[in-house]
């Protein structure tokens, strides 16, 4: 897209947010957003699937804002688990709850499942890349798959959280990160055990034979 098209896309998305609480991420919302002075034909060209493309653009915008927020933080004193938790917290703190709720409803539809999975995966990928992940083997996949699950569960909890400052959500997030750390510790013990590793370690060895994808795709990766 040209700079003018990017500007128009951003203006449409910003205008759409005012209509999402009433019309959801929909054709009506796109049409209303275009009334801000953007040619309806251009609006349709920028967001051909209307509400779905608007919702996905909002999701990508959230990833970018999270990256920017992390870049402006001094993370040197934090443990890695704290950095991951902070990234997901920053991701939610800048989000509009009703816009996320409406997007979750739309992306939960069966026909939108591939787009939903891709969006969540990309969020996890953004977190790991921003934090400097250097994994090249199956850990590249497992880190993103696990964090995708943590992020999805935390978003669902956050949508129903009425606690002051979403404190219950942050406590929930900390518990999920702790679960991940326990899994990693258990995996390390299995791999180090001469008794457990020959049998229980097989899935981990299979996972480690995978390689990080070298080209983009809906289900990246290759088997070596």
């Amino acid at each position: 897209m040209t700079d003018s098209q990017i500007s128009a896309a951003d203006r449409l998305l910003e205008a759409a947010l005012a209509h999402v609480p009433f019309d959801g991420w929909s054709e009506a919302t796109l049409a209303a957003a275009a009334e801000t002075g953007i040619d309806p034909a251009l609006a349709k060209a920028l967001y051909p699937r209307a509400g779905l493309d608007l919702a996905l653009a909002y999701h990508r915008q959230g990833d970018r804002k999270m990256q920017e927020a992390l870049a402006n933080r001094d993370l040197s004193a934090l443990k890695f688990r704290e950095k991951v938790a902070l990234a997901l917290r920053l991701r939610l703190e800048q989000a509009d709850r009703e816009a996320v709720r409406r997007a979750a409803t739309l992306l939960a539809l069966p026909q939108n499942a591939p787009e939903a999975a891709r969006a969540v995966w990309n969020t996890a990928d953004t977190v790991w890349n921003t934090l400097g992940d250097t994994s090249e083997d199956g850990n590249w996949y497992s880190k993103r798959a696990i964090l995708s699950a943590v992020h999805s569960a935390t978003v669902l909890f956050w949508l129903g959280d009425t606690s002051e400052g979403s404190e219950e959500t942050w406590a929930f997030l900390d518990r999920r990160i702790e679960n991940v750390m326990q899994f990693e510790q258990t995996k390390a013990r299995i791999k180090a055990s001469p008794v457990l590793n020959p049998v229980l370690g097989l899935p981990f060895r299979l996972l480690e034979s995978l390689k990080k994808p070298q080209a983009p795709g809906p289900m990246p990766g290759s088997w070596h």
Side-chain angles (χ1 to χ4, degrees):
M1 288 192 293
T2 65
D3 290 343
S4 61
Q5 287 176 322
I6 292 173
S7 177
D10 290 341
R11 284 164 52 202
L12 277 166
L13 179 58
E14 187 64 27
L17 287 171
H19 300 277
V20 168
F22 308 100
D23 297 315
W25 296 101
S26 64
E27 288 273 4
T29 290
L30 179 61
E35 292 175 0
T36 56
I38 297 174
D39 184 344
L42 175 59
K44 189 63 177 176
L46 291 171
Y47 296 104
R49 294 177 295 179
L52 177 59
D53 283 330
L54 280 169
L56 293 171
Y58 181 68
H59 187 95
R60 291 191 296 271
Q61 182 188 80
D63 289 344
R64 292 193 299 271
K65 287 183 176 181
M66 175 189 66
Q67 279 186 299
E68 293 168 1
L70 281 174
N72 292 325
R73 293 289 188 105
D74 180 6
L75 306 178
S76 59
L78 298 181
K79 298 178 181 178
F80 203 86
R81 59 187 292 177
E82 294 171 333
K83 294 178 184 179
V84 174
L86 175 62
L88 295 185
R89 176 167 178 165
L90 291 172
R91 180 72 172 73
L92 285 177
E93 284 181 333
Q94 54 79 31
D96 179 89
R97 199 183 301 262
E98 187 57 29
V100 174
R101 190 189 314 278
R102 293 289 192 141
T105 300
L106 177 63
L107 291 170
L109 296 175
Q111 66 268 28
N112 296 331
E115 291 287 7
R118 187 177 296 111
V120 174
W121 180 277
N122 285 339
T123 295
D125 187 47
T126 299
V127 171
W128 284 116
N129 289 339
T130 303
L131 295 180
D133 177 43
T134 59
S135 58
E136 296 284 343
D137 57 9
N139 285 319
W140 189 92
Y141 294 90
S142 63
K143 286 179 177 179
R144 284 151 181 78
I146 292 171
L147 191 58
S148 293
V150 170
H151 174 62
S152 297
T154 303
V155 168
L156 290 176
F157 190 96
W158 174 73
L159 287 175
D161 186 9
T162 58
S163 63
E164 184 175 355
S166 299
E167 287 303 318
E168 290 185 9
T169 295
W170 314 139
F172 177 87
L173 173 58
D174 287 340
R175 292 194 297 272
R176 299 292 75 76
I177 296 294
E178 176 62 26
N179 292 154
V180 173
M181 297 306 298
Q182 290 172 352
F183 171 77
E184 291 298 323
Q185 291 165 3
T186 300
K187 183 172 72 173
R189 285 196 293 269
I190 290 174
K191 292 174 68 175
S193 170
V195 176
L196 299 177
N197 188 43
V199 178
L200 298 181
L202 178 59
F204 304 129
R205 292 194 294 277
L206 291 173
L207 184 62
E208 288 168 357
S209 66
L210 293 172
K211 298 300 179 184
K212 175 183 174 181
Q214 301 302 313
M219 290 299 288
S222 58
W223 182 274
H224 292 265

